[in-house]
Amino acid sequence: MSFWEKLVNAIGNTAGNALSAVVEAIRTVFEGDPETRRKVAFSVAIIALSAKMAKADGIVSEKEVEAFREIFEFPQDQAKNVARLYNLARQDVAGYEAYAERLSTLCITCAANCTVLEDVLDGLFHIAKADGLIHENELNFLSHIGEIFQMSETRFEQIAARHVSAGGDPYKVLGVSPSDDFPTIRRRYRGLVSEHHPDRLISRGVPKEFHVIANERMAALNAAYAAIEKERRAA
């Protein structure tokens, strides 16, 4: 039996309090398997909050569905189980705030600016921008999720800068200031590259499919650093 089947069977049929059932199932069904528990918790966070985000602009576009599949690949024979979780989250009486709060408690490294929760936010941004535009309501949704995840305003702006527009403020992307000297900026850049290396994601329990986002993130960091380096050389 796949872990999706185990999870769905543990939840039952009700949508009214799906959140409590999902969280309890993750805590108990995978109690003796911390690696699978981390993967399931991360995946469910993406599924559930994606479902809630779909309500933010009122439309679930085909491109958003494709973006979801890019970062969350699952066996075709498990499509019904994943769809069931998505629909339960969408229909649940609990709001997205409750989902974000409860799902964040499943993160064993949960703290201010938690890297695992940053991975979840990156995934949600990737889906939100898939149709070419992040709707204002979606951005407000993501900003509030960041607050619930205890992301500092600076950290959230750094995450958003990687997604909101190509060629955005490179200093925001790296989380540095134009007044910083170049050695400081270089150290910050190298630290971010190390922090977001694919091997680090694997150790955090992020599914391998999420490396699409990791590559996108690294490209944004590299482009920002190159832009600043070019600017400083020209000065």
Side-chain angles (χ1 to χ4, degrees), residues 5 11 18 42 44 52 71 74 96 135 142 168 188 191 221:
E5 290 172 305
I11 292 169
F42 177 88
V44 167
K52 292 298 185 182
I71 64 171
F74 46 83
Y96 74 88
H135 193 279
L142 292 165
R188 172 63 174 167
L221 295 174

Side-chain angles (χ1 to χ4, degrees), residues 43-74:
S43 300
V44 167
I46 292 290
I47 293 172
L49 292 175
S50 295
K52 292 298 185 182
M53 187 170 64
K55 291 185 176 182
D57 64 358
I59 301 172
V60 181
S61 72
E62 187 61 33
K63 288 185 178 180
E64 287 176 330
V65 174
E66 290 174 6
F68 176 81
R69 289 302 301 264
E70 285 175 1
I71 64 171
F72 189 73
E73 183 178 347
F74 46 83

Side-chain angles (χ1 to χ4, degrees), residues 66-173:
E66 290 174 6
F68 176 81
R69 289 302 301 264
E70 285 175 1
I71 64 171
F72 189 73
E73 183 178 347
F74 46 83
Q76 191 56 43
D77 62 357
Q78 296 303 312
K80 288 185 177 179
N81 287 324
V82 173
R84 182 177 174 189
L85 286 172
Y86 185 94
N87 289 327
L88 282 173
R90 189 169 55 181
Q91 298 167 26
D92 197 347
V93 294
Y96 74 88
E97 298 94 340
Y99 265 80
E101 289 168 1
R102 291 294 300 279
L103 290 171
S104 70
T105 67
L106 294 172
C107 177
I108 60 172
T109 61
C110 190
N113 296 325
C114 172
T115 51
V116 176
L117 298 180
E118 180 175 344
D119 293 334
V120 173
L121 267 176
D122 257 331
L124 293 173
F125 263 108
H126 181 77
I127 295 169
K129 71 180 182 183
D131 55 5
L133 174 69
I134 297 182
H135 193 279
E136 182 179 357
N137 289 342
E138 290 176 322
L139 188 57
N140 291 336
F141 172 95
L142 292 165
S143 177
H144 196 191
I145 292 293
E147 292 174 1
I148 294 170
F149 283 176
Q150 299 183 54
M151 293 288 169
S152 68
E153 184 176 349
T154 299
R155 187 73 168 215
F156 180 81
E157 287 180 355
Q158 180 185 348
I159 298 168
R162 297 199 293 257
H163 297 278
V164 172
S165 61
D169 186 340
Y171 292 95
K172 280 190 175 181
V173 172

Side-chain angles (χ1 to χ4, degrees), residues 166-225:
D169 186 340
Y171 292 95
K172 280 190 175 181
V173 172
L174 296 184
V176 294
S177 168
S179 62
D180 291 334
D181 60 29
F182 192 66
T184 298
I185 293 172
R186 182 170 54 238
R187 285 194 298 272
R188 172 63 174 167
Y189 163 72
R190 289 175 175 173
L192 288 170
V193 169
S194 175
E195 178 182 335
H196 297 300
H197 189 279
D199 288 346
R200 291 287 186 93
L201 269 68
I202 292 173
S203 68
R204 297 202 291 257
V206 175
K208 66 181 186 299
E209 293 80 16
F210 198 76
H211 288 182
V212 170
I213 302 300
N215 292 335
E216 185 178 274
R217 180 189 289 166
M218 291 299 295
L221 295 174
N222 291 335
Y225 180 74

